[in-house]
Amino acid sequence: MNRRTPNKNMLKKHLENLNKSIDRLLYSYDICSKISSERGHKNEEYWEHYEALTARYGRSVDILVNSVLRYIDVMEYIEPGTTIDVTNRAEKRGFVDSAQDLRVLKDLRNEIVHNYDSDDCEGVFDDSLRLIPDLLEIINKVKIYCGRFLE
């Protein structure tokens, strides 16, 4: 079986990886939501929790876009194409109101990965906390949609 042949077990595997990633992200999200309301002294524990949160956010976005959404294309016999193609199809499938919504999540992921300015970390942390509920809503819609392939 080649890589482009639809395989529901492969889709299940991508969804399982996404679920594991989201479980870890939610763990960090709960901790960081409490820390952000305190906004006191920023010690090493603070930075450790927020760096875990952003890493888990980035990984979850990657799995969603690069594994799950691309594999939905395979399941529907569509050439995945570019990330822009994938995000545009996410809009057409009703996962997001606008492809731009998914691009915002992806842009933050890119900022996390390529952020070398430690003075700007707090803005990235705040954006991550703010966007995680949107990410979770999109993932819920994707899971519902994928049910049609897994019956």
Side-chain angles (χ1 to χ4, degrees), residues 72-150:
I72 290 171
D73 287 342
V74 171
M75 294 298 291
E76 294 181 345
Y77 296 93
I78 298 170
E79 269 307 310
T82 67
T83 301
I84 292 171
D85 296 329
V86 172
T87 58
N88 287 337
R89 280 192 291 275
E91 178 182 343
K92 288 178 184 168
R93 290 176 178 128
F95 303 153
V96 291
D97 293 331
S98 164
Q100 183 61 31
D101 298 342
L102 200 51
R103 289 186 193 120
V104 166
L105 298 176
K106 190 85 165 126
D107 287 347
L108 178 58
R109 176 262 178 221
N110 291 341
E111 187 176 348
I112 289 166
V113 171
H114 301 291
N115 185 4
Y116 307 111
D117 182 3
S118 61
D119 293 335
D120 191 32
C121 285
E122 213 160 335
V124 170
F125 296 153
D126 290 341
D127 288 344
S128 297
L129 282 174
R130 181 177 53 79
L131 290 175
I132 286 170
D134 296 340
L135 174 62
L136 297 173
E137 184 179 332
I138 293 165
I139 289 170
N140 188 51
K141 290 176 183 178
V142 168
K143 287 179 183 178
I144 292 168
Y145 187 89
C146 286
R148 70 182 60 190
F149 302 116
L150 303 175

Coordinates of all heavy atoms in Angstrom, one line a residue, residues 72-150:
I72 N -6.7 13.6 6.0 CA -8.1 13.7 5.5 C -8.1 13.9 4.0 O -8.9 13.3 3.3 CB -8.8 14.9 6.3 CG1 -9.0 14.5 7.7 CG2 -10.1 15.2 5.6 CD1 -9.5 15.7 8.6
D73 N -7.2 14.7 3.5 CA -7.0 14.9 2.0 C -6.8 13.5 1.4 O -7.4 13.2 0.4 CB -5.9 15.8 1.7 CG -6.3 17.3 2.0 OD1 -7.5 17.6 2.2 OD2 -5.4 18.1 2.0
V74 N -5.9 12.7 2.0 CA -5.6 11.4 1.4 C -6.9 10.5 1.4 O -7.2 9.9 0.5 CB -4.5 10.7 2.2 CG1 -4.3 9.3 1.8 CG2 -3.2 11.5 2.0
M75 N -7.6 10.6 2.5 CA -8.8 9.8 2.7 C -9.9 10.2 1.6 O -10.7 9.4 1.2 CB -9.4 10.0 4.0 CG -8.6 9.4 5.2 SD -8.3 7.6 5.1 CE -9.9 7.0 5.4
E76 N -9.8 11.5 1.2 CA -10.7 12.0 0.1 C -10.1 12.0 -1.3 O -10.7 12.6 -2.1 CB -11.3 13.3 0.6 CG -12.1 13.2 1.8 CD -12.7 14.6 2.3 OE1 -12.2 15.6 1.8 OE2 -13.6 14.5 3.2
Y77 N -9.0 11.3 -1.4 CA -8.3 11.2 -2.7 C -7.9 12.6 -3.3 O -8.1 12.9 -4.5 CB -9.1 10.4 -3.7 CG -9.3 9.0 -3.3 CD1 -10.4 8.6 -2.6 CD2 -8.3 8.0 -3.6 CE1 -10.6 7.3 -2.2 CE2 -8.5 6.7 -3.2 CZ -9.6 6.3 -2.5 OH -9.8 5.0 -2.1
I78 N -7.5 13.5 -2.4 CA -7.1 14.8 -2.8 C -5.6 15.0 -2.6 O -5.1 14.6 -1.5 CB -7.8 15.9 -2.0 CG1 -9.3 15.8 -2.3 CG2 -7.3 17.3 -2.3 CD1 -10.1 16.7 -1.3
E79 N -4.8 15.5 -3.5 CA -3.4 15.8 -3.3 C -3.3 16.9 -2.2 O -3.9 18.0 -2.4 CB -2.7 16.3 -4.6 CG -2.1 15.3 -5.5 CD -1.1 14.3 -4.7 OE1 -0.2 14.8 -4.1 OE2 -1.3 13.1 -4.9
P80 N -2.6 16.6 -1.1 CA -2.6 17.6 0.0 C -2.1 19.0 -0.4 O -2.6 20.0 0.0 CB -1.7 16.9 1.0 CG -1.8 15.5 0.7 CD -2.0 15.4 -0.8
G81 N -1.1 19.1 -1.3 CA -0.6 20.4 -1.7 C 0.1 21.2 -0.6 O 0.7 20.6 0.3
T82 N 0.0 22.5 -0.7 CA 0.7 23.4 0.3 C -0.1 23.5 1.6 O -1.3 23.1 1.6 CB 0.9 24.8 -0.3 OG1 -0.4 25.4 -0.5 CG2 1.6 24.7 -1.7
T83 N 0.5 24.1 2.5 CA -0.2 24.4 3.8 C -1.4 25.4 3.5 O -2.5 25.2 4.1 CB 0.7 25.1 4.8 OG1 1.8 24.2 5.1 CG2 0.0 25.4 6.1
I84 N -1.3 26.3 2.6 CA -2.4 27.2 2.2 C -3.5 26.4 1.7 O -4.7 26.6 2.0 CB -1.9 28.2 1.2 CG1 -1.0 29.2 1.9 CG2 -3.1 29.0 0.6 CD1 -0.3 30.2 1.0
D85 N -3.2 25.4 0.8 CA -4.3 24.5 0.3 C -5.0 23.8 1.5 O -6.2 23.7 1.5 CB -3.7 23.5 -0.7 CG -3.1 24.1 -1.9 OD1 -3.6 25.1 -2.3 OD2 -2.1 23.5 -2.4
V86 N -4.2 23.2 2.4 CA -4.8 22.5 3.5 C -5.7 23.4 4.4 O -6.8 23.0 4.7 CB -3.6 21.9 4.4 CG1 -4.2 21.3 5.7 CG2 -2.9 20.8 3.6
T87 N -5.2 24.6 4.6 CA -6.0 25.5 5.5 C -7.3 26.0 4.7 O -8.4 26.1 5.3 CB -5.2 26.8 5.9 OG1 -4.7 27.5 4.8 CG2 -4.1 26.3 6.9
N88 N -7.2 26.2 3.4 CA -8.4 26.6 2.6 C -9.4 25.4 2.6 O -10.6 25.7 2.8 CB -8.0 26.9 1.2 CG -7.3 28.3 1.1 OD1 -7.5 29.1 2.0 ND2 -6.5 28.5 0.1
R89 N -9.0 24.2 2.5 CA -9.9 23.1 2.6 C -10.5 22.9 4.0 O -11.6 22.5 4.1 CB -9.2 21.8 2.1 CG -9.2 21.7 0.6 CD -8.8 20.3 0.1 NE -7.4 20.0 0.4 CZ -6.3 20.4 -0.4 NH1 -6.5 21.0 -1.5 NH2 -5.1 20.0 0.0
A90 N -9.7 23.3 5.0 CA -10.3 23.2 6.4 C -11.5 24.2 6.5 O -12.4 23.8 7.2 CB -9.2 23.6 7.4
E91 N -11.4 25.3 5.9 CA -12.5 26.3 5.9 C -13.7 25.7 5.1 O -14.8 25.7 5.6 CB -12.1 27.6 5.2 CG -13.2 28.6 5.1 CD -12.8 29.9 4.4 OE1 -11.6 30.1 4.2 OE2 -13.8 30.6 4.0
K92 N -13.4 25.1 3.9 CA -14.5 24.5 3.2 C -15.2 23.3 3.9 O -16.4 23.1 3.7 CB -14.0 24.0 1.8 CG -13.6 25.1 0.9 CD -13.1 24.6 -0.4 CE -12.6 25.8 -1.3 NZ -11.8 25.4 -2.4
R93 N -14.4 22.6 4.7 CA -15.0 21.5 5.5 C -15.7 22.0 6.7 O -16.3 21.2 7.5 CB -13.9 20.5 5.8 CG -13.4 19.8 4.6 CD -12.2 18.8 5.0 NE -11.8 18.1 3.8 CZ -10.5 18.0 3.5 NH1 -9.5 18.6 4.1 NH2 -10.2 17.3 2.4
G94 N -15.6 23.2 7.1 CA -16.3 23.8 8.2 C -15.5 23.7 9.5 O -16.1 23.9 10.6
F95 N -14.2 23.4 9.5 CA -13.5 23.3 10.7 C -13.2 24.6 11.3 O -13.0 24.8 12.5 CB -12.1 22.6 10.4 CG -12.2 21.2 9.8 CD1 -11.2 20.7 9.1 CD2 -13.3 20.4 10.0 CE1 -11.2 19.4 8.5 CE2 -13.4 19.1 9.5 CZ -12.3 18.7 8.7
V96 N -13.1 25.7 10.4 CA -12.9 27.0 10.8 C -13.8 27.9 10.0 O -14.3 27.6 8.9 CB -11.4 27.5 10.6 CG1 -10.4 26.8 11.5 CG2 -11.0 27.2 9.1
D97 N -14.1 29.1 10.6 CA -15.0 30.1 9.9 C -14.2 30.6 8.7 O -14.8 30.9 7.6 CB -15.4 31.2 10.8 CG -16.3 30.7 11.9 OD1 -17.1 29.7 11.6 OD2 -16.3 31.3 12.9
S98 N -12.9 30.8 8.8 CA -12.1 31.4 7.8 C -10.7 30.6 7.8 O -10.2 30.3 8.9 CB -11.8 32.9 8.0 OG -10.8 33.3 7.3
A99 N -10.1 30.4 6.7 CA -8.8 29.8 6.6 C -7.8 30.6 7.5 O -6.8 30.1 8.0 CB -8.3 29.6 5.2
Q100 N -8.1 31.9 7.6 CA -7.2 32.8 8.3 C -7.1 32.3 9.8 O -6.1 32.5 10.5 CB -7.6 34.2 8.2 CG -6.8 35.2 8.9 CD -5.3 35.2 8.4 OE1 -5.1 35.0 7.2 NE2 -4.4 35.5 9.2
D101 N -8.2 31.8 10.3 CA -8.2 31.3 11.7 C -7.1 30.3 12.0 O -6.4 30.3 13.0 CB -9.6 30.7 12.1 CG -10.7 31.8 12.0 OD1 -10.4 33.0 12.0 OD2 -11.9 31.3 11.9
L102 N -7.0 29.3 11.0 CA -6.0 28.3 11.1 C -4.6 28.9 10.9 O -3.7 28.4 11.6 CB -6.3 27.2 10.1 CG -5.7 25.8 10.4 CD1 -5.9 25.3 11.8 CD2 -6.3 24.8 9.4
R103 N -4.5 29.8 10.0 CA -3.2 30.5 9.8 C -2.7 31.2 11.0 O -1.5 31.2 11.3 CB -3.3 31.4 8.6 CG -3.4 30.6 7.3 CD -3.4 31.6 6.1 NE -3.8 30.9 4.9 CZ -4.9 31.2 4.2 NH1 -5.6 32.3 4.4 NH2 -5.2 30.5 3.1
V104 N -3.6 31.8 11.8 CA -3.2 32.5 13.0 C -2.6 31.4 14.0 O -1.6 31.7 14.6 CB -4.4 33.2 13.7 CG1 -4.2 33.6 15.1 CG2 -4.8 34.4 12.8
L105 N -3.2 30.3 14.1 CA -2.7 29.2 15.0 C -1.3 28.8 14.5 O -0.4 28.6 15.3 CB -3.6 28.0 15.0 CG -5.0 28.3 15.6 CD1 -5.9 27.0 15.5 CD2 -5.0 28.8 17.0
K106 N -1.2 28.6 13.2 CA 0.1 28.2 12.6 C 1.1 29.3 12.7 O 2.3 29.0 13.0 CB -0.2 27.8 11.1 CG 0.9 27.1 10.4 CD 0.9 25.7 10.7 CE 1.8 25.0 9.7 NZ 2.8 24.1 10.4
D107 N 0.8 30.5 12.6 CA 1.7 31.6 12.7 C 2.3 31.7 14.1 O 3.5 31.9 14.3 CB 1.1 33.0 12.3 CG 0.9 33.2 10.8 OD1 1.4 32.4 10.0 OD2 0.1 34.1 10.5
L108 N 1.4 31.5 15.1 CA 1.9 31.5 16.5 C 2.9 30.3 16.7 O 3.9 30.5 17.3 CB 0.8 31.4 17.5 CG 1.2 31.3 19.0 CD1 2.1 32.5 19.4 CD2 0.0 31.2 19.9
R109 N 2.5 29.2 16.1 CA 3.4 28.0 16.2 C 4.8 28.4 15.6 O 5.8 28.1 16.2 CB 2.8 26.8 15.5 CG 3.7 25.6 15.4 CD 4.4 25.6 14.0 NE 5.3 24.5 14.0 CZ 6.5 24.6 13.4 NH1 7.0 25.7 12.9 NH2 7.3 23.5 13.3
N110 N 4.8 29.0 14.5 CA 6.1 29.4 13.8 C 6.8 30.4 14.7 O 8.0 30.4 14.8 CB 5.8 30.0 12.4 CG 5.3 29.0 11.5 OD1 5.5 27.8 11.7 ND2 4.7 29.4 10.4
E111 N 6.1 31.4 15.3 CA 6.7 32.3 16.2 C 7.4 31.6 17.4 O 8.5 32.0 17.8 CB 5.7 33.4 16.6 CG 6.3 34.5 17.4 CD 5.3 35.6 17.8 OE1 4.1 35.6 17.2 OE2 5.6 36.4 18.6
I112 N 6.7 30.6 17.9 CA 7.2 29.9 19.1 C 8.5 29.2 18.7 O 9.5 29.3 19.4 CB 6.2 28.8 19.6 CG1 5.0 29.5 20.2 CG2 6.9 27.8 20.5 CD1 3.8 28.6 20.5
V113 N 8.5 28.6 17.5 CA 9.7 27.8 17.1 C 10.9 28.7 16.8 O 12.0 28.4 17.0 CB 9.3 26.9 15.9 CG1 10.5 26.2 15.3 CG2 8.3 25.8 16.4
H114 N 10.6 29.9 16.2 CA 11.6 30.7 15.7 C 11.8 32.0 16.5 O 12.5 32.9 16.1 CB 11.3 31.1 14.2 CG 11.2 30.0 13.3 ND1 12.3 29.2 13.0 CD2 10.1 29.4 12.7 CE1 11.9 28.2 12.2 NE2 10.6 28.3 12.0
N115 N 11.3 32.0 17.7 CA 11.4 33.2 18.6 C 12.8 33.1 19.4 O 13.0 32.2 20.2 CB 10.3 33.2 19.6 CG 10.3 34.5 20.5 OD1 11.1 35.3 20.3 ND2 9.4 34.6 21.4
Y116 N 13.6 34.0 19.1 CA 14.9 34.1 19.7 C 15.1 35.3 20.7 O 16.1 35.5 21.3 CB 16.1 34.1 18.7 CG 16.0 33.0 17.7 CD1 15.6 33.3 16.4 CD2 16.2 31.7 18.0 CE1 15.5 32.3 15.4 CE2 16.0 30.7 17.1 CZ 15.7 31.0 15.8 OH 15.6 30.0 14.9
D117 N 14.0 36.0 20.8 CA 14.0 37.2 21.6 C 13.3 36.9 23.0 O 12.1 36.8 23.1 CB 13.2 38.3 20.9 CG 13.2 39.6 21.7 OD1 13.8 39.7 22.8 OD2 12.6 40.6 21.2
S118 N 14.1 36.6 24.0 CA 13.5 36.2 25.3 C 12.6 37.3 25.9 O 11.8 37.0 26.8 CB 14.6 35.8 26.2 OG 15.5 36.9 26.5
D119 N 12.8 38.6 25.5 CA 12.0 39.6 26.0 C 10.5 39.6 25.5 O 9.6 40.1 26.1 CB 12.6 41.0 25.7 CG 13.9 41.3 26.3 OD1 14.1 40.7 27.4 OD2 14.7 42.1 25.8
D120 N 10.3 38.9 24.4 CA 9.0 38.8 23.8 C 8.3 37.5 24.2 O 7.2 37.2 23.8 CB 9.1 38.8 22.3 CG 7.8 39.0 21.6 OD1 6.9 39.7 22.2 OD2 7.6 38.5 20.5
C121 N 8.9 36.7 25.1 CA 8.3 35.4 25.5 C 6.9 35.6 26.1 O 6.0 34.8 25.9 CB 9.2 34.7 26.4 SG 10.6 33.9 25.6
E122 N 6.8 36.6 26.9 CA 5.5 36.7 27.6 C 4.3 36.9 26.7 O 3.2 36.4 26.9 CB 5.6 37.8 28.7 CG 4.7 37.5 29.9 CD 5.1 38.3 31.1 OE1 6.2 38.7 31.2 OE2 4.2 38.4 31.9
G123 N 4.5 37.7 25.6 CA 3.5 37.8 24.6 C 3.1 36.5 24.0 O 1.9 36.3 23.7
V124 N 4.1 35.7 23.7 CA 3.9 34.4 23.1 C 3.1 33.5 24.0 O 2.2 32.8 23.6 CB 5.2 33.8 22.6 CG1 5.0 32.3 22.2 CG2 5.9 34.6 21.5
F125 N 3.5 33.6 25.3 CA 2.7 32.8 26.3 C 1.3 33.2 26.4 O 0.4 32.4 26.4 CB 3.4 32.9 27.7 CG 4.8 32.4 27.8 CD1 5.6 33.0 28.8 CD2 5.3 31.4 27.0 CE1 6.9 32.5 28.9 CE2 6.5 30.9 27.1 CZ 7.4 31.5 28.1
D126 N 1.0 34.5 26.4 CA -0.3 35.0 26.5 C -1.1 34.6 25.2 O -2.3 34.2 25.4 CB -0.3 36.5 26.6 CG 0.2 37.0 28.0 OD1 0.2 36.2 29.0 OD2 0.5 38.2 28.1
D127 N -0.5 34.7 24.1 CA -1.2 34.3 22.8 C -1.5 32.9 22.8 O -2.6 32.5 22.4 CB -0.3 34.7 21.6 CG -0.2 36.2 21.4 OD1 -1.1 36.9 21.9 OD2 0.7 36.6 20.6
S128 N -0.6 32.0 23.4 CA -0.9 30.6 23.4 C -2.1 30.3 24.3 O -3.0 29.6 23.9 CB 0.4 29.9 24.0 OG 1.5 30.0 23.1
L129 N -2.1 30.9 25.5 CA -3.2 30.7 26.4 C -4.5 31.2 25.7 O -5.6 30.5 25.9 CB -3.0 31.5 27.7 CG -2.1 30.9 28.7 CD1 -1.9 31.8 29.9 CD2 -2.6 29.5 29.2
R130 N -4.5 32.3 25.0 CA -5.7 32.8 24.4 C -6.2 31.9 23.2 O -7.4 31.8 23.0 CB -5.4 34.2 23.9 CG -6.5 34.9 23.2 CD -6.2 36.4 22.8 NE -5.0 36.5 22.0 CZ -4.9 36.2 20.7 NH1 -6.0 35.8 20.0 NH2 -3.7 36.4 20.0
L131 N -5.2 31.3 22.5 CA -5.6 30.6 21.3 C -5.9 29.1 21.5 O -6.5 28.5 20.7 CB -4.5 30.7 20.2 CG -4.4 32.1 19.6 CD1 -3.2 32.2 18.6 CD2 -5.7 32.5 18.9
I132 N -5.5 28.6 22.6 CA -5.7 27.1 22.9 C -7.2 26.8 22.8 O -7.6 25.8 22.2 CB -5.0 26.7 24.2 CG1 -3.5 26.6 24.0 CG2 -5.6 25.3 24.7 CD1 -2.7 26.4 25.2
P133 N -8.1 27.6 23.4 CA -9.6 27.2 23.2 C -10.0 27.1 21.8 O -10.8 26.3 21.4 CB -10.3 28.3 24.0 CG -9.3 28.7 25.0 CD -8.0 28.7 24.3
D134 N -9.5 28.0 20.9 CA -9.8 28.0 19.5 C -9.3 26.7 18.9 O -9.9 26.1 18.1 CB -9.2 29.2 18.8 CG -9.8 30.5 19.2 OD1 -10.9 30.5 19.8 OD2 -9.2 31.6 19.0
L135 N -8.0 26.3 19.2 CA -7.4 25.1 18.7 C -8.3 23.9 19.1 O -8.5 23.0 18.3 CB -6.0 25.0 19.2 CG -5.3 23.7 18.9 CD1 -5.1 23.5 17.4 CD2 -3.9 23.7 19.6
L136 N -8.7 23.9 20.3 CA -9.5 22.7 20.8 C -10.8 22.6 20.1 O -11.3 21.5 19.8 CB -9.7 22.8 22.3 CG -8.5 22.8 23.2 CD1 -8.8 23.1 24.7 CD2 -7.8 21.4 23.0
E137 N -11.4 23.8 19.8 CA -12.7 23.8 19.1 C -12.5 23.2 17.7 O -13.3 22.5 17.2 CB -13.3 25.2 19.0 CG -14.6 25.3 18.4 CD -15.2 26.7 18.4 OE1 -14.8 27.5 19.3 OE2 -15.9 27.1 17.4
I138 N -11.5 23.6 17.0 CA -11.2 23.2 15.7 C -10.9 21.6 15.7 O -11.5 20.9 14.9 CB -10.0 23.9 15.1 CG1 -10.3 25.4 14.8 CG2 -9.5 23.2 13.8 CD1 -9.1 26.2 14.6
I139 N -10.2 21.2 16.7 CA -9.9 19.8 16.8 C -11.1 19.0 17.0 O -11.3 17.9 16.4 CB -8.8 19.5 17.9 CG1 -7.5 20.0 17.4 CG2 -8.8 18.0 18.2 CD1 -6.4 20.0 18.4
N140 N -12.0 19.5 17.8 CA -13.3 18.8 18.0 C -14.1 18.6 16.7 O -14.6 17.6 16.4 CB -14.2 19.5 19.1 CG -15.4 18.8 19.5 OD1 -15.3 17.6 19.8 ND2 -16.5 19.4 19.4
K141 N -14.1 19.7 15.9 CA -14.8 19.6 14.6 C -14.1 18.6 13.7 O -14.8 17.9 13.0 CB -14.9 21.0 14.0 CG -15.8 22.0 14.7 CD -15.7 23.3 14.0 CE -16.6 24.3 14.8 NZ -16.5 25.7 14.2
V142 N -12.8 18.6 13.7 CA -12.1 17.6 12.9 C -12.4 16.2 13.3 O -12.6 15.3 12.4 CB -10.6 17.9 13.0 CG1 -9.7 16.8 12.3 CG2 -10.2 19.3 12.3
K143 N -12.4 15.9 14.6 CA -12.7 14.6 15.1 C -14.1 14.1 14.6 O -14.3 13.0 14.2 CB -12.6 14.5 16.6 CG -11.2 14.6 17.1 CD -11.2 14.5 18.6 CE -9.9 14.7 19.2 NZ -9.9 14.7 20.7
I144 N -15.1 15.0 14.7 CA -16.4 14.7 14.3 C -16.4 14.3 12.8 O -17.0 13.4 12.4 CB -17.4 15.8 14.7 CG1 -17.6 15.9 16.2 CG2 -18.7 15.6 14.0 CD1 -18.3 17.2 16.6
Y145 N -15.8 15.2 12.0 CA -15.7 15.0 10.6 C -15.0 13.6 10.3 O -15.5 12.9 9.4 CB -14.9 16.1 10.0 CG -14.9 16.1 8.5 CD1 -15.8 16.8 7.7 CD2 -13.8 15.5 7.8 CE1 -15.8 16.8 6.4 CE2 -13.8 15.5 6.4 CZ -14.8 16.2 5.7 OH -14.7 16.3 4.3
C146 N -14.0 13.3 11.0 CA -13.2 12.0 10.7 C -14.1 10.8 11.1 O -13.8 9.7 10.6 CB -11.9 12.0 11.5 SG -10.7 13.1 10.9
G147 N -15.1 11.0 11.9 CA -16.0 9.8 12.2 C -16.5 9.1 11.0 O -16.7 7.9 11.0
R148 N -16.8 9.9 9.9 CA -17.3 9.3 8.7 C -16.4 8.3 8.1 O -16.8 7.4 7.3 CB -17.7 10.4 7.7 CG -16.4 11.1 7.1 CD -16.7 12.2 6.2 NE -17.5 13.2 6.9 CZ -18.1 14.3 6.3 NH1 -18.0 14.5 5.0 NH2 -18.7 15.1 7.0
F149 N -15.1 8.4 8.3 CA -14.1 7.5 7.7 C -13.9 6.3 8.6 O -13.4 5.3 8.1 CB -12.8 8.2 7.5 CG -12.8 9.4 6.6 CD1 -12.5 10.7 7.1 CD2 -13.2 9.3 5.3 CE1 -12.6 11.8 6.4 CE2 -13.2 10.4 4.5 CZ -12.9 11.7 5.0
L150 N -14.3 6.4 9.9 CA -13.9 5.4 10.8 C -15.1 4.5 11.2 O -14.9 3.6 12.0 CB -13.3 6.0 12.1 CG -12.1 6.9 11.9 CD1 -11.7 7.7 13.1 CD2 -11.0 6.2 11.3

